[in-house]
């Protein structure tokens, strides 16, 4: 799976123990794992994104093939190994929001002015 942020350089951690020190990054993730990803970068608000699994198109076709050729055992193997699943979203992309407005924007707001 791929993990990206704008701006880049955020630390990524997940509820399943997956982590990388700075985005962008890619990790091998168990296909059946569902988890939440949190991106953190100094000066920005943390952003958490849920990552879930769904049956992919080829997974559904594979399951149908298992019914014909392998029966319940084939379906059980695909379900246990996660072969019929993929993660959504993938890539996981977050746009980080600054902790506070730059001083020039704060000053304009204080004076009641908008725009640049």
């Amino acid at each position: 799976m791929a993990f990206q942020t704008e701006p880049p350089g955020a630390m990524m951690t997940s509820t399943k123990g997956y982590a990388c020190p700075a985005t962008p990054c890619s990790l091998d993730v168990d296909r059946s794992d569902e988890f939440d990803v949190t991106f953190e970068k100094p000066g920005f608000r943390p952003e958490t994104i849920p990552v879930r699994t769904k049956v992919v198109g080829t997974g559904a076709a594979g399951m149908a093939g298992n019914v014909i050729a392998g029966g319940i055992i084939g379906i059980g193997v695909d379900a246990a190994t996660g072969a019929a699943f993929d993660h959504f979203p993938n890539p996981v992309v977050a746009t980080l929001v600054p902790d506070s407005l730059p001083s020039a924007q704060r000053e304009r707001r204080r004076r009641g002015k908008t725009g640049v």
Side-chain angles (χ1 to χ4, degrees), residues 16-40:
K16 284 283 190 170
Y18 302 113
C20 61
T23 57
C25 64
S26 295
L27 298 171
D28 289 329
V29 173
D30 187 314
R31 290 179 73 115
S32 62
D33 277 352
E34 293 190 330
F35 50 92
D36 293 336
V37 174
T38 300
F39 298 98
E40 296 179 282

Side-chain angles (χ1 to χ4, degrees), residues 22-115:
T23 57
C25 64
S26 295
L27 298 171
D28 289 329
V29 173
D30 187 314
R31 290 179 73 115
S32 62
D33 277 352
E34 293 190 330
F35 50 92
D36 293 336
V37 174
T38 300
F39 298 98
E40 296 179 282
K41 182 173 178 146
F44 294 85
R45 296 179 186 155
E47 177 75 24
T48 300
I49 297 175
V51 176
R52 301 297 178 248
T53 58
K54 64 179 181 177
V55 176
V56 293
T58 56
M63 280 194 176
N66 278 330
V67 170
I68 296 168
I72 299 299
I73 294 173
I75 293 171
V77 169
D78 281 356
T81 63
F85 298 105
D86 205 357
H87 290 100
F88 179 80
N90 188 12
V92 180
V93 180
T95 300
L96 302 179
V97 176
D99 276 336
S100 61
L101 294 172
S103 60
Q105 288 181 0
R106 278 196 309 267
E107 185 63 27
R108 277 194 298 273
R109 282 194 175 180
R110 195 175 320 141
R111 293 181 192 164
K113 297 178 182 177
T114 58

